[in-house]
Amino acid sequence: GAGATAIFTNPAVVAAGEASITATANAIFGSYSVTASSAGASGTPTFALSNGVVATATTISSVQPAATVVGEPYSVSVSVLDGSTPVTTGIVEVRQLSDGAICTFDLASASHCDLVANSAITTAVRARYQGAGAYAASQSPTVSHDVNRAARWR
């Protein structure tokens, strides 16, 4: 943030009068102007630094069972990836598009949640990762789920 400082007492000397320092950017997103100074050095080097969020991809990996009857729960499993690396922080919301019902889970402790369809219809579900820390929000394509009428006994 503005006015933030870092003090390095042992920079690596690259050549006479030059030093190299490796620093890790903070997790505060935005664009920054960075200024460096050193006691006894002439000139004040500056450079721009930009912190951005990492793109993610959200995918519904399974809906189990593939078909249910009205009132029976089904489980929707979701994966969120940063490239090929699983994201393990943040909240995922799964929405049943036929009636707007939702379930949520925290990626730190789960990878699925359950929904219940209240009418016999082919519905669709969609998962949305809300983003967290350095990770951007993302949404899955829709996946269909068949809901059948319950059997009637006469």
Side-chain angles (χ1 to χ4, degrees):
T5 61
I7 300 172
F8 297 92
T9 56
N10 296 310
V13 175
V14 175
E18 294 184 11
S20 173
I21 297 173
T22 301
T24 302
N26 62 21
I28 302 171
F29 305 103
S31 296
Y32 303 92
S33 175
V34 180
T35 303
S37 63
S38 177
S42 61
T44 305
T46 62
F47 61 93
L49 171 68
S50 180
N51 284 345
V53 293
V54 177
T56 62
T58 299
T59 304
I60 294 175
S61 47
S62 71
V63 177
Q64 295 296 323
T68 56
V69 295
V70 173
E72 181 182 26
Y74 62 96
S75 180
V76 181
S77 295
V78 179
S79 65
V80 179
L81 300 175
D82 158 14
S84 61
T85 305
V87 174
T88 58
T89 183
I91 304 296
V92 173
E93 175 185 280
V94 179
R95 181 175 299 271
Q96 183 171 265
L97 300 181
S98 60
D99 63 3
I102 62 168
C103 63
T104 61
F105 63 90
D106 189 329
L107 285 170
S109 59
S111 62
H112 69 279
C113 60
D114 295 339
L115 289 166
V116 175
N118 294 313
S119 60
I121 189 172
T122 297
T123 187
V125 291
R126 178 180 293 141
R128 180 168 176 15
Y129 172 60
Q130 297 177 358
Y135 297 109
S138 60
Q139 182 170 281
S140 74
T142 59
V143 172
S144 64
H145 177 70
D146 292 329
V147 181
N148 300 306
R149 294 180 200 269
R152 294 179 123 177
W153 296 99
R154 292 183 187 190

